[in-house]
Amino acid sequence: MKMIIVTTVEEYKSEVFKLFKKAGVESFSGSDIDGYKKAAPLMYTSSWFPSERGGAASNMYFSFTEEEKVTELFKLIKQFNTESETTNPIRAVEVPIERTV
């Protein structure tokens, strides 16, 4: 069993769902996150309670699944990133699972 973590900008949310389905990853969890690139020093001191979002609207997904499905998902993500003209590719990592309960 493996754990996969996938991050992407909000615009690719539906694409990620399609890639998960194509790879056979049927169960996963997700969360809205803010994505940052080279955060300006001003952002760190601006406010304790900022009134507007500082980063790009992004998403993070994770799933515990079989190795074959992870291999297929990585292949599909690599293909998507190659065919897309973007500065924000879909990112994914694979984490080995030693024990589960």
Side-chain angles (χ1 to χ4, degrees):
M1 178 161 295
K2 301 284 184 169
M3 178 183 183
I4 50 173
I5 302 170
V6 177
T7 60
T8 184
V9 292
E10 179 72 25
E11 290 80 17
Y12 293 143
K13 183 176 186 173
S14 64
E15 294 300 323
V16 170
F17 288 0
K18 290 175 191 174
L19 295 175
F20 271 59
K21 185 174 181 173
K22 268 183 153 176
V25 178
E26 297 172 5
S27 300
F28 60 92
S29 299
S31 181
D32 296 336
I33 59 173
D34 290 338
Y36 298 92
K37 282 188 178 182
K38 299 181 184 176
L42 178 61
M43 185 187 325
Y44 299 124
T45 60
S46 61
S47 168
W48 280 94
F49 303 103
S51 60
E52 55 186 74
R53 235 175 151 157
S58 302
N59 302 104
M60 181 176 68
Y61 307 97
F62 67 93
S63 178
F64 296 94
T65 192
E66 295 82 17
E67 189 169 352
E68 311 81 53
K69 294 178 181 180
V70 175
T71 300
E72 181 64 17
L73 180 64
F74 273 58
K75 183 183 94 177
L76 293 168
I77 290 173
K78 191 179 246 186
Q79 180 181 355
F80 177 85
N81 287 340
T82 301
E83 294 172 0
S84 300
E85 293 184 23
T86 181
T87 57
N88 294 305
I90 297 172
R91 305 276 187 193
V93 296
E94 172 185 344
V95 181
I97 303 299
E98 304 231 357
R99 288 193 250 185
T100 62
V101 176

